[in-house]
Amino acid sequence: MRILSQYLPILDWGSRYGRTALSNDMIAAMIVTIMLVPQSLAYALLAGLPPEAGIYASIAPIVLYAIFGTSRTLAVGPVAVVSLLTASAIGQVAETGNAGYAIAALTLAFLSGGFLVLLGVFRLGFLANFLSHPVIAGFITASGILIATSQLKHILGVDAHGHTLPQMLGSIFEYLGQINWITVVIGVAATGFLFWVRKNLKPLLNRLGLSPLMADVLTKAGPVAAVVSTTLAVWAFDLGDRGVKIVGDVPQSLPPLTMPSLSPDFIGSLLVPAILISIIGFVESISVAQTLAAKKRQQIDPNQELIGLGAANLGAAFTGGFPVTGGFSRSVVNFDSGAETPAAGIYTAIGLAIAALFLTPLVYFLPKATLAATIIVAVLSLVDLSILKKTWAYNRDDFVAVLATIVLTLALGVEVGVASGVTISILLHLYKTSRPHVAEVGLVPGSEHFRNIHRHSVETDPTLLSLRVDESLYFINARFLLDLIQSRVSEGTEIRNVVLMFSAVNEVDYSALESLEAINLRLKDMDVGFHLSEVKGPVMDRLRTSHFVSNLNGRVFLSQYDAAKALTTKSTESGS
Amino acid sequence: MRILSQYLPILDWGSRYGRTALSNDMIAAMIVTIMLVPQSLAYALLAGLPPEAGIYASIAPIVLYAIFGTSRTLAVGPVAVVSLLTASAIGQVAETGNAGYAIAALTLAFLSGGFLVLLGVFRLGFLANFLSHPVIAGFITASGILIATSQLKHILGVDAHGHTLPQMLGSIFEYLGQINWITVVIGVAATGFLFWVRKNLKPLLNRLGLSPLMADVLTKAGPVAAVVSTTLAVWAFDLGDRGVKIVGDVPQSLPPLTMPSLSPDFIGSLLVPAILISIIGFVESISVAQTLAAKKRQQIDPNQELIGLGAANLGAAFTGGFPVTGGFSRSVVNFDSGAETPAAGIYTAIGLAIAALFLTPLVYFLPKATLAATIIVAVLSLVDLSILKKTWAYNRDDFVAVLATIVLTLALGVEVGVASGVTISILLHLYKTSRPHVAEVGLVPGSEHFRNIHRHSVETDPTLLSLRVDESLYFINARFLLDLIQSRVSEGTEIRNVVLMFSAVNEVDYSALESLEAINLRLKDMDVGFHLSEVKGPVMDRLRTSHFVSNLNGRVFLSQYDAAKALTTKSTESGS
């Protein structure tokens, strides 16, 4: 039962579900549903899919996450960045509007879901750590710019395309002659209105004396107001006949039962994007989940989260959806509206199912420009170039990783961008550890503490060279240490003993062991003793399994202080 | 002039060249030349090229290395592993025997030379460190097995092919019916003879009272004896007409002037193998050069070595050769025979030029089986499976990397094998650092030294949690630390202060900085102080550029002892 409720968290919270939680969850679900209807249609548009796919992608996935997920308030569904990644991945295997396109979206969700479940079952969530914070920040910012640019065509009413910034801008420029000015008026008005709602409506309503909850609901309903008013305008003035692109027929139906394609061709070209979508979606989702959980001291289990998100994506694959993940804005709204348990998600799903059954005819005249406006306003809040300034001030390596991620994502597309960011972070880290900081140390007077002779005023002895190696020793820097010690000892002719202070050495791999053996031999040839101090337990255990310690031309000291005491006394004795 | 002689080491040793060095270098050159003639023919055969290519590849490259290289005794030319890599790379773009095949070999040498020079000019020699010792050992061993297997077809006289162990064995099995028994007799006899020479001849000659130098020369001439006797046998008994494959016509000529192809197709498919060949060749060469230099306390400059090897390969590309590097056996022979300067290499090149001009008709009847025998005997000394046992005893991660390198090299070929080895070592390293060892520490009684409470008997205080983080903090483990501290502090309700002992933290990147800031906020919420101790200079400098230190809900102590003294006194005071 314990195990079962670890894999099925619903058994845990479901058994203690009460009346207060019910009413709180219902209120939150209503607010989230109002927000999700236009958002779902919009993200389907962004992914290049028919609008109903966005609603379908919000129903089964939410329910499945409620069963398997560990966050109380995470709201799962289509999100901007993942929809962009979906469009970019499918664009390589099918044309928008083709039957193949929708099947590719299902397959992508299926592969992504399967991959997430596998990661969860094998407890490989740590893979997400390969995305450093700066790379994520840079990627999200660049994606925000790409998404906003991709929506410009809907605001202008032209047929542009492309998956990189130069492609999109070039394509828009090429089709500039097609501009539909009525569409532009609708798009610009909707965008301006939504920006105004986001910035000014809530303070205004508060000043007018509305309750905070009411003010909040009305603010969240901003997109709905834009949808309703522009739809009415198109209907009343027959703007559809004057070139304004509208959503058109949307089937009135519950999510259909669908099948992803398992053709090797599809899988071959979609597997890598699916892995990318999974990891980026997981990172976004787990960050949101952990931030919200910390506020209420709740626990998130990252590996179970993988299973929850994986189940949600598998659900999307079989019910006409596309890849989903835990979204930031919808989860925050859910949390702020007072959701207490994942049941709120189930109620949201019911609300969306009702919308799919009964409200879809109402969006026939909805202009695509309005949906584009909601996307633009939502994603521009993702764009945050301050990460460039912050990393520049703190650490040039991180800055390089961010800059490369942003520039390459914009110039070459999302997949190349994020892959380059990850590769660059890893290479920079390896490069840094390949040339470790090695400090010569001396005794801080009146203590037993040893510090860098160039930074502190310390006591030293000319016959003793004490080096603190500020890095784990492994293949990347194994040769470096060998060269360094050989050149240091050749310089100082008085040196009779070398102590390597291992306080910062957390690992000695086999390559480094061979280097240490070589150092030992070379120092022996020069008649110089070779000692270690402050070797950590796990490192010492490892070294003892080799012949290094027994062949050592010197000793292993518990502390650098012991080493200095023993070796300087001895040298004074033998020198006298 | 100083700068010039840094890039042209010949100016340095050449200006002090004397009579003793001259005679020593000449003797060494003679011995090396005798050894190189059959070896060069054999490695050309291994690379799938006409035999003269092996001699050409030993002439210009040796001279160019003598001008640009920094080792006094390294001998450059075709070597077994690089010849195997060459055959494998070219096999993907051309058929053996085609005109395109030889041009591909020139192009490969050209790309490899260009890449090495670039690495040298931009001082990027550290890239070679990505190949850990175990991966190199595994790769060399697997290559030795592959090379020996690839020569079986010449010993059996069949037309087998393939670049992986299963392919080769399958192909030999398929052609078993073709076996030429006369060839088998020659091949097996030559192999047996060469093994006997290698193992038993030198001790025997020494016992017979020959001078060590003479014994050495005769032993080195073993392959020449095999070549001469089998050639005579083929000539005398007309074995060529009875199906024994012979070397045939070899042009009598100095190295020709040749041009690599710069067609994008060729470059596209040869660039990655060229990079691989460069790095593996460089690693092999620099290890030999440094081992020999250490014996005479000479200096090797790794970046200038890149330029020297690059020049040698460019030379090979324009004189009918193929990729070359510093070889182990030929360099050791050169060193042991008393070579003092790179001039020995120049004399060797002259000797080989004479051979190319006048001796090539003599090898017309030389059976390929004899060359195959020299290769087999040479490479089987590379095979050393003890690395598996050693790494298993020392470190399972290194063992996994070796095993994967060996198995994948044999099963899927040299390129996949070495690339997998490198990738696996890096991933295992990253995985290890993603879950760092964190020890709770206490004071060793009677000292100022703090050690792990589970390994040493130490003093602790229940209000103070002192954690020593045994790893640099960076994106791979940033989230880990956050989770760990939160769970430790929630467990121990008495805890009033947390000290992170940073003695082993060599880096805090931007992702980790954000984690530390989050830890600070969470501990503040729990009313727990957050302190650091023993922060290294470079790390502290970095942290000071952010707001972390000024926002810290605690202090930064020079030593853990200071921290414990200050925080336990304070807690006693406020508790009393």
Side-chain angles (χ1 to χ4, degrees), chain A residues 126 129-130 132-134 290 294 297 387 390-391 393-395 398 425-427 429-432 434 437 447-449 451 455-456 468 470-472 474-476 479 483 503-504 506-511 513-514 522 525-526 534-538 541-543 545-546 558-559, chain B residues 126 129-130 132-134 290 294 297 387 390-391 393-395 398 425-427 429-432 434 437 447-449 451 455-456 468 470-472 474-476 479 483 503-504 506-511 513-514 522 525-526 534-538 541-543 545-546 558-559:
Chain A
F126 78 94
N129 296 337
F130 278 57
S132 72
H133 296 200
Q290 278 178 330
R297 309 253 154 143
I387 185 72
K390 286 187 207 151
T391 50
Y394 182 69
N395 183 341
D398 281 313
S425 336
I426 292 175
L427 288 181
H429 170 73
L430 294 176
Y431 178 67
K432 223 173 339 185
S434 80
H437 180 248
S447 81
E448 298 184 0
H449 196 64
R451 296 305 286 254
R455 286 175 177 265
H456 300 266
R468 191 191 66 212
D470 286 356
E471 197 65 65
S472 287
Y474 72 114
F475 58 95
I476 290 277
R479 201 172 282 139
D483 295 349
S503 50
N506 308 307
E507 189 208 342
V508 172
D509 80 350
Y510 191 78
S511 303
L513 175 71
E514 290 193 339
R522 291 196 192 170
D525 282 350
M526 299 182 191
E534 311 207 357
V535 182
K536 298 211 182 74
D541 290 348
R542 186 61 57 78
L543 287 178
T545 66
S546 75
L558 183 67
S559 72
Chain B
F126 79 94
N129 295 338
F130 277 58
S132 71
H133 297 200
Q290 279 179 330
R297 308 253 153 142
I387 185 72
K390 288 187 206 150
T391 51
Y394 182 68
N395 183 341
D398 282 313
S425 337
I426 292 175
L427 288 182
H429 171 72
L430 293 176
Y431 178 69
K432 222 172 341 184
S434 80
H437 181 247
S447 81
E448 299 183 0
H449 196 64
R451 296 304 287 254
R455 287 175 176 264
H456 301 265
R468 191 190 66 212
D470 287 356
E471 198 64 65
S472 288
Y474 72 114
F475 58 94
I476 291 276
R479 199 171 285 139
D483 295 348
S503 49
N506 307 306
E507 189 208 342
V508 173
D509 80 350
Y510 190 79
S511 303
L513 175 71
E514 291 193 337
R522 292 194 190 171
D525 283 351
M526 300 181 190
E534 311 208 357
V535 182
K536 298 213 182 73
D541 291 350
R542 187 58 60 77
L543 287 178
T545 66
S546 75
L558 183 68
S559 71

Side-chain angles (χ1 to χ4, degrees), chain A residues 71-188:
Chain A
S71 166
R72 296 295 173 91
T73 44
L74 191 73
V76 168
V79 306
V81 172
V82 167
S83 301
L84 173 72
L85 286 165
T86 299
S88 161
I90 304 182
Q92 289 160 22
V93 298
E95 285 285 313
T96 319
N98 273 12
Y101 196 93
I103 293 174
L106 299 174
T107 308
L108 200 60
F110 177 74
L111 293 174
S112 171
F115 182 69
L116 286 165
V117 170
L118 279 181
L119 286 186
V121 169
F122 291 107
R123 313 191 79 69
L124 295 174
F126 78 94
L127 280 179
N129 296 337
F130 278 57
L131 287 168
S132 72
H133 296 200
V135 167
I136 297 169
F139 177 71
I140 298 282
T141 287
S143 300
I145 297 173
L146 278 184
I147 294 169
T149 312
S150 76
Q151 298 308 304
L152 277 184
K153 65 177 177 195
H154 296 299
I155 300 280
L156 299 173
V158 302
D159 288 323
H161 50 80
H163 292 293
T164 69
L165 199 63
Q167 283 172 3
M168 289 176 190
L169 293 177
S171 179
I172 287 172
F173 191 75
E174 191 183 325
Y175 289 96
L176 267 190
Q178 286 184 2
I179 284 187
N180 181 294
W181 290 104
I182 303 175
T183 306
V184 173
V185 169
I186 295 173
V188 170

Side-chain angles (χ1 to χ4, degrees), chain B residues 159-331:
Chain B
D159 288 322
H161 50 80
H163 293 293
T164 68
L165 200 62
Q167 283 171 1
M168 289 176 189
L169 293 178
S171 181
I172 286 172
F173 190 75
E174 191 182 327
Y175 288 97
L176 267 188
Q178 286 186 3
I179 283 187
N180 181 293
W181 290 102
I182 303 175
T183 306
V184 173
V185 169
I186 296 174
V188 170
T191 309
F193 171 72
L194 291 171
F195 267 119
W196 178 81
V197 166
R198 174 174 283 250
K199 279 198 98 169
N200 304 321
L201 185 60
K202 205 165 164 184
L204 180 71
L205 293 173
N206 283 335
R207 272 203 305 279
L208 292 177
L210 266 75
S211 74
L213 179 67
M214 203 58 209
D216 210 42
V217 172
L218 285 178
T219 310
K220 295 291 159 350
V224 175
V227 163
V228 170
S229 52
T230 55
T231 304
L232 285 176
V234 170
W235 171 74
F237 303 110
D238 268 346
L239 299 180
D241 295 343
R242 302 179 59 182
V244 174
K245 291 201 181 98
I246 55 175
V247 166
D249 271 323
V250 178
Q252 273 184 281
S253 148
L254 285 175
L257 189 66
T258 52
M259 292 297 289
S261 155
L262 295 181
S263 87
D265 259 17
F266 255 35
I267 294 183
S269 45
L270 293 176
L271 189 60
V272 172
I275 291 174
L276 191 67
I277 287 174
S278 306
I279 292 185
I280 289 177
F282 174 63
V283 169
E284 177 168 358
S285 184
I286 192 101
S287 315
V288 178
Q290 279 179 330
T291 308
L292 297 179
K295 295 195 185 186
K296 293 198 171 174
R297 308 253 153 142
Q298 291 161 348
Q299 287 289 320
I300 298 293
D301 171 358
N303 288 304
Q304 182 61 28
E305 277 302 283
L306 286 164
I307 294 176
L309 288 180
N313 275 291
L314 291 175
F318 290 102
T319 59
F322 57 98
V324 296
T325 194
F328 179 73
S329 58
R330 64 181 61 190
S331 301

Side-chain angles (χ1 to χ4, degrees), chain A residues 67 130 165 236 247 272 281 363 366 392 405 426 565:
Chain A
I67 297 171
F130 278 57
L165 199 63
V247 166
V272 173
V363 299
L366 170 59
W392 175 263
T405 307
I426 292 175
K565 219 165 47 177

